[in-house]
Amino acid sequence: QVQLVESGGGLVQPGGSLRLSCAASGSINSIDAMGWYRQAPGKQRELVATIRSGSTNYADSVKGRFTISRDNAKNTVYLQMNSLKPEDTAVYYCNADIRSKWYEQPIGYWGQGTQVTVSS
């Protein structure tokens, strides 16, 4: 079984920083794309950042403030969030397209979500 475990969420003041981590474990053959999404109250889930084969993509709202990175040896993706704003408050979800040891095609997996709250 494959699972994604997130950590690093919490409460920070505006201008502060957080570093989210998401580690994939289980019967993993390889991981294609990994990314972070977020959903604020009353809003649709939106893409924050993705990374695949060294190529990254960011939402305009976070570009220049957030950095996505990946440690392939640890099957882990990170999201460094700097200069946080109240509008960054949301539940952040990790996503990964994973090829398991038992299936040829990749399957999309989601973390349980971690709350990020930016408030004074």
Side-chain angles (χ1 to χ4, degrees):
Q1 186 176 7
V2 174
Q3 67 178 88
L4 303 179
V5 180
E6 300 167 326
S7 62
L11 173 64
V12 297
Q13 295 183 345
S17 298
L18 283 174
R19 184 176 177 84
L20 305 183
S21 299
C22 175
S25 62
S27 56
I28 298 172
N29 187 354
S30 63
I31 302 178
D32 295 339
M34 302 188 78
W36 292 93
Y37 296 73
R38 69 185 182 186
Q39 187 167 21
K43 302 290 186 178
Q44 295 183 349
R45 185 174 298 187
E46 64 176 350
L47 182 148
V48 177
T50 60
I51 183 169
R52 180 177 183 175
S53 299
S55 179
T56 59
N57 184 50
Y58 297 92
D60 289 339
S61 59
V62 307
K63 188 173 296 183
R65 299 186 297 118
F66 291 10
T67 302
I68 188 171
S69 61
R70 180 174 173 178
D71 187 336
N72 292 327
K74 297 181 179 180
N75 289 330
T76 300
V77 64
Y78 306 93
L79 185 67
Q80 179 67 46
M81 304 184 294
N82 298 325
S83 301
L84 283 163
K85 305 175 180 179
E87 50 262 45
D88 294 319
T89 297
V91 177
Y92 284 70
Y93 297 91
C94 175
N95 172 263
D97 294 328
I98 298 175
R99 301 176 187 269
S100 75
K101 296 180 180 179
W102 303 104
Y103 298 96
E104 180 179 352
Q105 299 299 318
I107 299 175
Y109 291 88
W110 292 91
Q112 79 286 351
T114 183
Q115 178 71 49
V116 172
T117 302
V118 185
S119 176
S120 59

